[in-house]
Amino acid sequence: MTAGGPRISIITITMNSARYLEDTIRSVAEQDYPDIEYVVVDGGSSDSTLEIIARNETVIDRSISEPDEGIADAMNKGLALATGDYVYFLHSDDYLEGPGVISRAAGFLEAERDIVLFSIHLDKDGIKTLRRPRGFGPWMNFKTGVYHQSAICSARLFERIGAFDTDFRVTMDYDFFLRAYRDGVRPRIVDLPLATMRLVGVSSQDDWAALRRRFAEERRTHAKNCRPAALRALYALYWPLYLAYRRVSQPLRR
C-alpha cells in the first residue's frame, strides 16, 4: 500500500473482444487514481484484439495471450499476475463510469472489509438502468445479488478462500461470493455507480437453453457450498418450483 492509498489491480479478460475492448481500456487509462495496476488476459484471440492490446501497451502493466479453459481459468490467470492490495474485474464488454470513479471508490475501501460493493449500470441495446447490489444475506444461499463489476475485493480474501472454481463455466462469480458469504464476509455497500456492464456476454444470455445451463450450475454451486441438512431440504423444494416458475414466465424463443 502506497502513501496515496492501496494499489488496485484492475483485471480485464478478453477473447475476440475487438468490438468493445478499446472502450474498456480507455476507461482505465482515463482514471486519475495514482496507483492502478492494469492486467489484461487474452484467451488467444483471432480478431484484432491483440492489435488493440499492443496499441495500448503504455496503459497495460501486464498482459498474456494464450488458450485457457474458460472464463474462470482466465480470471485466475489475472489474479496470478496481479500484485495489488485490492482486485477489480472489468471485463472487455464493460467500462468504468468516468475518470475519477476509482479515486472515489478507493475512499470507501477499509482495512477490515474484504469486499466493497458499488452500484453499476446495465446497458441493453444502449438503454442503461441502475442496479444496486443487495449485499450478502440468507438469500445468497439461493441467488446472488452481486455483479462482479460492482465488487472490489481484497487480495487477502482470494488468499483465504481461494480463486475461481474452473468447474463452473458461468456461475464462477456466484460460487466465489457464496463462499465469501459463508466464510463470514460482510461487504460494505456504497451507492456510487462504478461501471457499466453491456448485456452482451455469456452470462447475459436469456434464452431458455442458456438459462437451463445457468440453473444447472447454480444447483451445483448450492450442492458444493451449502451442506446443512436444512438447506438441502429447502433446495429439494425450491428447485422444482423455481424451474417451473421460470419456464412458465420465460417467453418462448427460437
Side-chain angles (χ1 to χ4, degrees), residues 7-14 21 24-25 28-29 36-42 53 56-65 73-84 86-92:
R7 169 169 290 189
I8 300 175
S9 295
I10 299 178
I11 300 173
T12 295
I13 66 168
T14 76
L21 180 58
T24 306
I25 296 174
V28 176
I36 289 176
E37 173 187 62
Y38 192 29
V39 176
V40 176
V41 178
D42 177 72
I53 293 172
N56 290 277
E57 62 181 0
T58 58
V59 178
I60 299 168
D61 296 286
R62 293 179 179 83
S63 67
I64 58 172
S65 179
D73 184 38
M75 293 170 80
N76 289 342
K77 289 180 179 182
L79 286 173
L81 293 172
T83 65
Y86 290 87
V87 176
Y88 176 64
F89 284 93
L90 183 75
H91 288 348
S92 56

Side-chain angles (χ1 to χ4, degrees), residues 6-254:
R7 169 169 290 189
I8 300 175
S9 295
I10 299 178
I11 300 173
T12 295
I13 66 168
T14 76
M15 180 62 184
N16 292 330
S17 304
R19 182 176 182 184
Y20 296 121
L21 180 58
E22 199 98 53
D23 292 342
T24 306
I25 296 174
R26 186 182 304 112
S27 77
V28 176
E30 290 173 347
Q31 295 304 307
D32 59 11
Y33 188 70
D35 200 357
I36 289 176
E37 173 187 62
Y38 192 29
V39 176
V40 176
V41 178
D42 177 72
S45 293
S46 57
D47 65 357
S48 59
T49 292
L50 295 181
E51 297 172 19
I52 294 171
I53 293 172
R55 192 160 63 238
N56 290 277
E57 62 181 0
T58 58
V59 178
I60 299 168
D61 296 286
R62 293 179 179 83
S63 67
I64 58 172
S65 179
E66 61 186 24
D68 55 53
E69 297 178 4
I71 296 172
D73 184 38
M75 293 170 80
N76 289 342
K77 289 180 179 182
L79 286 173
L81 293 172
T83 65
D85 304 295
Y86 290 87
V87 176
Y88 176 64
F89 284 93
L90 183 75
H91 288 348
S92 56
D93 299 323
D94 313 325
Y95 57 91
L96 293 167
E97 290 281 350
V101 71
I102 292 297
S103 290
R104 294 179 65 192
F108 296 101
L109 302 180
E110 305 171 355
E112 66 273 15
R113 297 277 189 172
D114 284 321
I115 300 178
V116 180
L117 298 175
F118 300 85
S119 301
I120 65 167
H121 285 108
L122 303 182
D123 182 340
K124 185 172 179 61
D125 300 326
I127 300 173
K128 295 172 67 170
T129 56
L130 184 67
R131 288 290 186 270
R132 295 177 174 86
R134 291 185 302 182
F136 288 2
W139 53 81
M140 282 292 293
N141 291 314
F142 297 90
K143 285 285 183 180
T144 185
V146 179
Y147 296 95
H148 70 256
Q149 295 91 341
S150 73
I152 298 181
C153 303
S154 70
R156 63 179 175 268
L157 177 62
F158 291 98
E159 295 171 358
R160 188 169 77 244
I161 71 172
F164 297 97
D165 190 335
T166 56
D167 285 341
F168 297 107
R169 310 293 292 182
V170 180
T171 63
M172 71 294 295
D173 50 351
Y174 178 33
D175 170 73
F176 175 77
F177 290 122
L178 182 54
R179 278 187 280 138
Y181 165 66
R182 299 192 68 80
D183 188 62
V185 173
R186 295 298 178 264
R188 179 176 183 178
I189 300 177
V190 179
D191 192 13
L192 167 69
L194 185 59
T196 290
M197 171 187 174
R198 289 187 176 96
L199 296 178
V200 295
V202 62
S203 63
S204 304
Q205 296 174 2
D206 60 359
D207 60 279
W208 183 242
L211 288 175
R212 286 186 64 181
R213 289 192 294 271
R214 167 176 281 279
F215 297 152
E217 286 205 359
E218 287 181 356
R219 293 184 78 165
R220 289 200 293 116
T221 303
H222 293 162
K224 171 188 172 185
N225 294 289
C226 303
R227 302 186 181 279
L231 269 177
R232 293 201 301 271
L234 279 175
Y235 290 141
L237 295 172
Y238 167 80
W239 273 110
L241 292 173
Y242 180 72
L243 290 175
Y245 160 73
R246 289 303 303 262
R247 187 66 185 98
V248 170
S249 62
Q250 177 70 14
L252 293 176
R253 295 175 182 272
R254 300 297 182 188

